[in-house]
């Protein structure tokens, strides 16, 4: 049976969100039930998702989620969102991201690779997923504040304290795996979307003066699909500081945290799945 998955994403800023969507498309065991876009210009993010689907001949159900963090923190905006895709005409949304998660999320796995605002709103409305896999936090440094958690600490506390089975992959693990020229060249050869993604990867690396791309979000997706490549803590209780820093605390909990990954095997598995997802499907 296919694995039903919903994706909540701030796709359009760091290219790793786009890589994660391609990975889901390239995973034959996955049934992608829908995509909600979160944080900032959520309508633009949804239009990018639709254009990605068009470029690969896929269908996708996408809805714009919550634009404003529950914490009231200002939205960080890279300024390059959607530029690589050219004109992205607006479309009327028929539902919201939170409603999409609520309508389709019962019994599905939720992959949350963005600030957790939309997920928190959907949980408050009664969403009951089978589990949630979150990209967020730095679990090796109790003073470090990672973007997804720090962008909405109110939402992060609600989600991580929900009592649902949650798996978290933090930057302390995602930074152990990188993509470089071999992967970028491979993706560039995978059709029109692959060429766009390769250009975006190089542009993002240049923006930060780096020679590798850290695939935070596709690695988190891989933890859901191939957990055997990872080591995890047993379920624990966690705490989110006002700064966005996270740590394990005493007491019973339902959050398991990735603490290690087979980096070489994960890189290969991600690249294979992403290449398949970027390649246009046969008509």
């Amino acid at each position: 049976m296919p694995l039903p998955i919903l994706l909540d994403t701030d796709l359009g800023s760091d290219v790793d969100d786009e890589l994660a969507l391609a990975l889901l498309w390239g995973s034959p065991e996955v049934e992608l039930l829908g995509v909600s876009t979160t944080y900032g210009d959520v309508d633009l993010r949804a239009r990018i998702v639709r254009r990605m689907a068009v470029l690969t001949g896929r269908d996708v159900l996408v809805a714009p989620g919550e634009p404003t963090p529950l914490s009231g923190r200002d939205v960080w905006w890279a300024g390059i969102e959607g530029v690589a895709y050219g004109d992205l005409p607006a479309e009327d949304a028929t539902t919201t991201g939170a409603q999409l998660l609520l309508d389709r999320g019962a019994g599905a796995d939720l992959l949350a690779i963005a600030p957790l605002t939309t997920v928190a709103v959907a949980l408050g409305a009664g969403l009951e997923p089978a589990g949630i896999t979150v990209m967020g936090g730095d679990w090796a440094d109790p003073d470090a504040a990672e973007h997804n958690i720090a962008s909405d600490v109110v939402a992060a506390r609600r989600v991580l304290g929900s009592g649902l089975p949650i798996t978290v992959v933090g930057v302390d693990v995602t930074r152990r795996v990188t993509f470089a020229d071999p992967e970028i060249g491979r993706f560039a050869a995978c059709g029109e979307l692959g060429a766009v993604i390769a250009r975006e990867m190089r542009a993002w690396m240049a923006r930060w003066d780096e020679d590798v791309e850290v695939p935070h979000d596709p690695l988190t997706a891989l933890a859901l699909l191939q957990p055997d490549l990872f080591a995890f803590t047993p379920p624990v209780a966690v705490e989110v500081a006002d700064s966005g820093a996270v740590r394990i605390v005493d007491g019973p909990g339902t959050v398991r945290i990735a603490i290690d990954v087979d980096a070489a095997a994960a890189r290969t598995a991600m690249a294979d799945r992403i290449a398949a997802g970027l390649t246009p499907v046969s008509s």
Side-chain angles (χ1 to χ4, degrees):
M1 294 293 292
L3 179 65
I5 291 178
L6 284 160
L7 175 65
D8 183 67
T9 174
D10 56 347
L11 180 146
S13 299
D14 186 342
V15 67
D16 67 330
D17 289 78
E18 290 155 82
L19 292 171
L21 177 55
L23 184 146
L24 294 177
W25 278 337
S27 299
E29 71 272 37
V30 169
E31 179 185 9
L32 183 60
L33 300 179
V35 179
S36 65
T37 56
T38 295
Y39 192 68
D41 190 341
V42 293
D43 294 307
L44 174 58
R45 297 192 194 278
R47 297 201 300 273
I48 297 170
V49 172
R50 294 189 190 100
R51 180 59 58 84
M52 291 177 66
V54 168
L55 292 177
T56 57
R58 290 179 166 84
D59 294 322
V60 65
L61 179 61
V62 56
E66 300 299 313
T68 305
L70 300 178
S71 66
R73 180 169 173 156
D74 290 342
V75 170
W76 179 84
W77 194 246
I80 47 80
E81 288 80 0
V83 171
Y85 292 90
D87 182 44
L88 293 168
E91 300 180 29
D92 291 332
T94 58
T95 189
T96 67
Q99 191 62 48
L100 171 62
L101 298 182
L102 189 61
D103 290 344
R104 308 200 62 147
D109 280 286
L110 175 57
L111 177 61
I113 54 174
L116 291 165
T117 314
T118 301
V119 176
V121 170
L123 289 177
L127 172 64
E128 296 183 359
I132 305 175
T133 300
V134 173
M135 191 280 123
D138 183 336
W139 301 89
D141 183 347
D143 297 319
E146 178 272 331
H147 170 76
N148 284 348
I149 301 298
S151 292
D152 194 344
V153 297
V154 172
R157 287 169 179 156
R158 291 183 187 178
V159 174
L160 297 178
S162 66
L164 291 165
I166 295 174
T167 297
V168 181
V169 183
V171 293
D172 49 304
V173 170
T174 60
R175 287 174 180 152
R176 301 180 193 181
V177 187
T178 58
F179 286 157
D181 286 342
E183 290 80 22
I184 296 172
R186 181 180 181 186
F187 301 156
C190 292
E192 190 173 357
L193 179 58
V196 170
I197 294 298
R199 291 196 299 271
E200 286 198 308
M201 291 176 73
R202 294 197 184 282
W204 191 257
M205 290 156 55
R207 178 190 181 97
W208 304 107
D209 193 24
E210 296 175 341
D211 57 3
V212 295
E213 163 71 19
V214 181
H216 304 283
D217 294 337
L219 188 70
T220 302
L222 195 68
L224 173 58
L225 301 180
Q226 292 184 241
D228 56 300
L229 297 181
F230 296 77
F232 301 94
T233 66
V236 295
V238 302
E239 180 178 79
V240 180
D242 290 342
S243 67
V246 292
R247 66 186 183 96
I248 297 172
V249 296
D250 292 335
T254 61
V255 179
R256 67 170 187 167
I257 300 163
I259 54 175
D260 201 4
V261 60
D262 183 335
R267 182 183 302 109
T268 298
M270 282 192 294
D272 288 348
R273 291 172 181 267
I274 290 168
L278 294 172
T279 301
V281 296
S282 300
S283 58

